[in-house]
């Protein structure tokens, strides 16, 4: 079988091998309709790219070869088995340029020998089209053609005719301002390899059955098939041997690799039995890795990936091709990828030698299934998992890394990823990946230059410290790892500290107790409110009712971004008291604090009164967020002074939501009085107010039948009538530091009882 290089489209029409001659091209009836003129988003993109390639070849001198065109030759007609779409587009392009440039009839007369057998209507349309001379000053060729008397109504239902009209409009839009392109068409600007299958001694008898099997009528090429064809074409121009090797592996080893993961999620059983989507997702991962390494933006369009990374336009294209090949090949050498990842990850509790993660361990499978997919503005394969998968890429590419070292280094990267959510950004990825290289390849944890720290700096400092500590104390390394894996610590252990690593079991014991008791026990030791922008929070939450929210709240409190000395001090003092904890001990400790204190700071009230930790419906506030009315007047950069003012400032609301005070919220003291005094059944009405109204100081507890209301500002209760006239005031005793020396809730209850006549 001889492959003949056809110089151009024209040369097919007088091709001969001495025995057989081609005089025309006939698209057979078993072929599918012309599809490059369809109007789906995907075809629009493919059409635009193909025309751009043709435009560059003709106008900008960028020669292009359109791969193989092959088929049977019967009675002087080429019956294409592959290449129908390209041939039809070239036919329309030749027609357009011939008419646009007023080329002599004898030069383009060969176009009359191109026809379709798929439908009689398609054949007749081609016969009329070549005779037609359009008005090129108008915008749309299709509208002109459809207005012609010879245009039949039935052609509006012929998908090939309609696609041709769309393509003619696209060609007109692209080439309307060009001239002198006919010589380029007749030259070598656009070429392809012509392979006649049914001629000479090596003839292949191509039956209709074989046509149907190889090119099912009506089934459009997938996006990946278009991608692979163009990828092969561009890579061959860079390194033909490497390109052949890569495309061969795509068809064999890599297809076998991805076959277990086939499931495009379309709901179409046939579509879900191919690996096209998985190929493209992993190729996007590789492309983004190349982009990040070169400090470039991600390439969203897969065809742009070809142009920018794997074509001759990129001087690093050969290296990128080898990177593509390597990043596929590394997985083909693993007999069972699921089992491979299970060796390194656990999704449950701590497991010796493994790293704890929250989602599926098989990162490669997850990448193939979800890379690039966005749901609710969140990537389904986020940058944190991108980095973790990169760790395994490094391991598989560098056999010199011992398994023991990799396990420890993987844990370090996971801790950094978990606690660097705010700095895991695509524009930081070059620095992040360089830091990962140092950790995985050399076991080095080091900060980068000032202002360029991409992993969270406190977490980086701790990882460096822990790496040195485990080197000095290898017998205690697994204890440290187990402490890291507690879901609330999430890899950051400063709240306990390496110096107290033997308290690991104590920490697990404490946080297996009722979390409300844990919270109150910590408050009985210290005011550990942590600042969260303009809010403050304490650990709280009903674990049984909302496990995920409560776990996240405690994770955030112990994170390097939020953790403050108050919580560290309270926690370490509590852990120092016992080796094991239970609810009874915590209750005893809490009661001891309440019965012994002679001062009543805010934390005392939070410990004592259930209502200050629950919403109006009596359910626990899982967010633990509070807002101080006067916090804007506190010195912003003096945390010690802020703490001092907060301790004696009782103007606080319990936030109903995690982020906003725009809805209904409540002053914690008025809400507590409302709850304890009997709510609506006692004739009370708790004022609802938002952030704005609260700052105006108009929060009220109303006594409906009495026509009065109660307010609390600083350390003074005020009683007003309906007109707002002050009737009575009662100050709460405080010491010289502005801390209550009498329980203001008890004082408020006495006032209410008196007003309610109880």
């Amino acid at each position: 079988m001889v492959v003949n290089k056809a110089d151009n489209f024209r040369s097919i029409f007088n091709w001969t091998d001495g025995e057989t001659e081609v005089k025309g091209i006939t698209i057979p009836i078993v072929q599918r309709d012309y599809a490059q003129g369809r109007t789906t988003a995907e075809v629009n993109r493919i059409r635009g790219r193909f025309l751009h390639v043709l435009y560059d070849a003709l106008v900008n001198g960028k020669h292009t070869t359109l791969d193989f065109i092959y088929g049977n030759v019967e009675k002087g007609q080429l019956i294409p088995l592959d290449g129908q779409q390209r041939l039809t587009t070239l036919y329309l392009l030749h027609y357009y340029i011939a008419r646009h440039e007023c080329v002599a009839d004898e030069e383009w007369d060969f176009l009359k020998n191109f026809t379709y057998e798929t439908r009689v209507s398609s054949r007749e349309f081609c016969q009329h089209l070549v005779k037609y001379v359009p008005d090129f000053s108008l915008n749309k060729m299709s509208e002109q053609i459809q207005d012609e008397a010879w245009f039949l109504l039935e052609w509006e239902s012929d998908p090939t005719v309609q696609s041709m009209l769309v393509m003619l409009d696209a060609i007109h839009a692209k080439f309307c301002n060009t001239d002198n392109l006919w010589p380029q068409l007749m030259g070598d600007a656009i070429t392809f390899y012509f392979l006649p299958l049914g001629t000479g001694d090596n003839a292949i008898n191509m039956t209709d059955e074989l046509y149907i099997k190889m090119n099912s009528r009506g089934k459009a090429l997938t996006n990946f098939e278009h991608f692979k064809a163009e990828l092969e074409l561009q890579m061959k121009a860079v390194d033909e041997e490497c390109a052949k090797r890569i495309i061969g592996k795509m068809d064999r080893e890599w297809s076998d690799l991805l076959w277990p993961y086939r499931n495009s999620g379309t709901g179409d059983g046939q579509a879900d039995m191919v690996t096209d989507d998985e190929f493209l997702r992993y190729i996007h991962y590789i492309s983004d890795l190349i982009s990040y390494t070169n400090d470039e933006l991600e390439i969203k369009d897969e065809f742009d990936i070809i142009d920018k990374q794997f074509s001759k336009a990129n001087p690093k294209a050969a290296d990128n091709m080898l990177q593509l090949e390597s990043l596929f090949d590394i997985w083909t050498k693993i007999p069972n990828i699921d089992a491979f990842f299970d060796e390194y990850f656990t999704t449950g509790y701590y497991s010796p030698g493994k790293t704890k993660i929250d989602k599926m361990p098989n990162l490669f499978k997850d990448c193939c299934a979800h890379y690039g997919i966005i749901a609710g503005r969140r990537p389904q394969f986020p940058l944190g998992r991108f980095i973790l998968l990169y760790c395994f890429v490094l391991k598989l590419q560098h056999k010199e890394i011992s398994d023991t070292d990799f396990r420890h280094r993987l844990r370090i990267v996971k801790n950094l990823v978990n606690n660097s959510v705010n700095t895991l950004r695509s524009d930081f990825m070059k620095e992040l990946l360089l830091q990962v290289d140092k950790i995985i390849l050399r076991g080095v944890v080091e900060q980068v230059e000032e202002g360029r720290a991409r992993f969270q700096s406190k977490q980086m400092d701790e990882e460096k410290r822990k790496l040195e500590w485990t080197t000095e104390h290898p017998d205690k390394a697994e204890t440290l790892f187990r402490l890291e894996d507690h879901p609330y610590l999430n890899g950051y252990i400063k709240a306990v500290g390496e110096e107290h690593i033997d308290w690991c079991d104590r920490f697990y014991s404490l946080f297996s107790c009722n979390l409300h008791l844990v919270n109150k026990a910590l408050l009985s030791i210290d005011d550990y409110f942590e600042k969260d922008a303009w809010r403050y929070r304490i650990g709280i939450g009903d674990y049984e009712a909302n496990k995920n929210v409560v776990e996240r709240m405690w994770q955030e409190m112990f994170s390097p971004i939020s953790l403050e000395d108050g919580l560290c001090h309270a926690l370490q003092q509590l852990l120092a008291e016992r080796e094991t904890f239970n609810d009874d001990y915590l209750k005893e400790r809490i009661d001891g604090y309440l019965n012994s204190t002679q001062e009543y700071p805010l934390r005392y009230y939070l410990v004592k009164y259930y209502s200050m930790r629950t919403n109006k419906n009596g359910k626990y506030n899982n967010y633990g967020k509070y807002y101080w009315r006067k916090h804007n007047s506190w010195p912003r950069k003096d945390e010690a002074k802020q703490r001092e003012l907060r301790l004696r400032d009782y103007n606080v609301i319990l936030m109903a939501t995690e982020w906003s005070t725009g809805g209904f919220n409540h002053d914690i003291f008025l809400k507590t009085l409302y709850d304890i005094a009997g709510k609506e059944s006692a004739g009370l009405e708790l004022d609802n107010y938002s952030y704005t109204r609260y700052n105006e100081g108009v929060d009220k507890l109303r006594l409906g039948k009495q026509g009065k209301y109660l307010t609390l500002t600083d350390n003074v209760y005020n009683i007003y009538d309906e007109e707002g006239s002050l009737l009575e005031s009662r100050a709460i005793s405080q010491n010289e530091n502005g801390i209550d020396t009498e329980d203001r809730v008890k004082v408020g209850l006495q006032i209410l009882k008196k007003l309610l006549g109880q």
Side-chain angles (χ1 to χ4, degrees), residues 475-487:
D475 57 318
K476 295 186 177 182
E478 290 299 326
T479 303
L480 183 144
F481 298 157
R482 180 168 176 262
L483 183 62
E484 286 182 337
D485 281 357
H486 191 283

Side-chain angles (χ1 to χ4, degrees), residues 387-436:
I387 290 171
L388 291 178
L389 181 56
Y390 178 64
C391 292
F392 285 90
V393 168
L394 291 175
K395 169 185 167 53
L396 295 171
Q397 289 181 326
H398 296 269
K399 301 299 184 183
E400 70 275 12
I401 305 173
S402 74
D403 191 65
T404 300
D405 284 343
F406 177 73
R407 288 177 186 273
H408 190 177
R409 295 168 186 178
L410 176 65
R411 171 177 284 276
I412 292 171
V413 175
K414 186 271 300 187
N415 292 341
L416 290 168
V417 165
N418 280 5
N419 290 292
S420 302
V421 177
N422 294 335
T423 58
L424 295 186
R425 294 167 31 186
S426 58
D427 53 331
F428 290 172
M429 283 297 285
K430 181 177 182 179
E431 290 91 348
L432 289 167
L433 294 178
L434 286 173
Q435 289 178 298
V436 172

Side-chain angles (χ1 to χ4, degrees), residues 20-32:
T20 305
E21 182 180 7
V22 175
K23 296 180 179 179
I25 299 173
T26 299
I27 307 301
I29 197 167
V30 295
Q31 283 276 22
R32 62 192 175 95

